[in-house]
Amino acid sequence: MRWPISSLNAIDLALDIVARFASERMPRSFFDGWMTVAMEEAKHFGLLSRRLQSLGSRYGALPAHDGLWQAVEETAHDLSARLAVVPLILEARGLDVTPSMIDKLTAVGDDETAKILEIIYRDEKKHVAIGAKWFRFLCARQNVNAAERFGVLVRQSFRGEVKAPFNDRARAEAGLTPTFYRSLSPRSR
Ligand SMILES: [Fe+2]
């Protein structure tokens, strides 16, 4: 099973937003929000790491992809691009794939891991919501259409594929409506 985001990288990522963009003219609550995200990512890492140990393995025993960190480097120059690619593409992808992972774990009787993924799913929805809120804030400040700007930034700064099917309901609950992502997916055009 391939987790869309490396849990350990996710902590660094939230903290990277706070540190790298510290000189941006943003409200204090923007930085507080990402500190909360970092704390929750650390909680997820602890939960997954302990669960792996109780199964006789450990975090890092299997290779994890570093797509998240590549995205961090490619969007280091621009906060809007960072928010578009990291919370609104990569973390939103977690919302698409996690429910079926939970179903599979439940089907094989691993309720304990399923419960951990339910916690992560709930928190990740909040992370996407924080990304969407501040992305819209930046677009409103620059007087640009948020969905259009999103499309431009993703095409510029994201090398991967925007994959359907989407969990439209969870995405909408996080403030990410289909006008943002539908036209970016080759299969849903
Ligand atoms: Fe997250």
Side-chain angles (χ1 to χ4, degrees):
M1 199 154 53
R2 193 173 145 102
W3 187 242
I5 283 183
S6 148
S7 178
L8 193 55
N9 271 353
I11 308 168
D12 296 342
L13 167 85
L15 294 172
D16 187 86
I17 293 181
V18 174
R20 195 179 301 271
F21 299 103
S23 60
E24 292 274 334
R25 206 164 40 86
M26 293 298 277
R28 170 80 187 263
S29 56
F30 170 82
F31 298 102
D32 289 345
W34 290 108
M35 288 309 290
T36 304
V37 172
M39 206 178 65
E40 287 175 350
E41 300 295 6
K43 178 182 80 181
H44 301 167
F45 175 73
L47 288 167
L48 290 171
S49 178
R50 278 192 295 278
R51 181 64 188 140
L52 284 167
Q53 274 169 26
S54 73
L55 294 167
S57 186
R58 62 179 168 82
Y59 189 89
L62 294 169
H65 66 98
D66 73 339
L68 191 62
W69 201 254
Q70 280 170 22
V72 165
E73 288 175 349
E74 274 160 34
T75 57
H77 62 290
D78 180 44
L79 179 56
S80 295
R82 171 66 61 85
L83 296 179
V85 172
V86 175
L88 300 185
I89 290 284
L90 296 172
E91 293 197 281
R93 175 80 185 140
L95 300 184
D96 302 333
V97 300
T98 305
S100 66
M101 289 166 76
I102 293 171
D103 289 346
K104 275 181 211 155
L105 287 163
T106 308
V108 298
D110 187 352
D111 292 338
E112 201 132 328
T113 311
K115 259 185 240 157
I116 293 172
L117 290 197
E118 272 162 24
I119 294 169
I120 294 177
Y121 180 65
R122 199 185 56 218
D123 288 343
E124 290 304 319
K125 213 184 277 182
K126 288 186 283 175
H127 302 176
V128 176
I130 290 173
K133 177 173 97 174
W134 293 111
F135 184 78
R136 287 177 193 277
F137 170 90
L138 287 168
C139 291
R141 198 164 71 180
Q142 292 159 10
N143 222 353
V144 292
N145 178 287
E148 280 170 23
R149 180 92 183 114
F150 179 73
V152 170
L153 291 170
V154 170
R155 284 190 198 96
Q156 274 171 6
S157 305
F158 181 63
R159 275 187 281 161
E161 190 193 339
V162 180
K163 287 185 201 124
F166 301 106
N167 183 345
D168 289 320
R169 191 169 146 194
R171 284 167 170 258
E173 280 167 9
L176 194 59
T177 42
T179 45
F180 276 80
Y181 53 84
R182 279 262 177 258
S183 63
L184 294 171
S185 166
R187 264 172 287 170
S188 65
R189 247 175 229 159

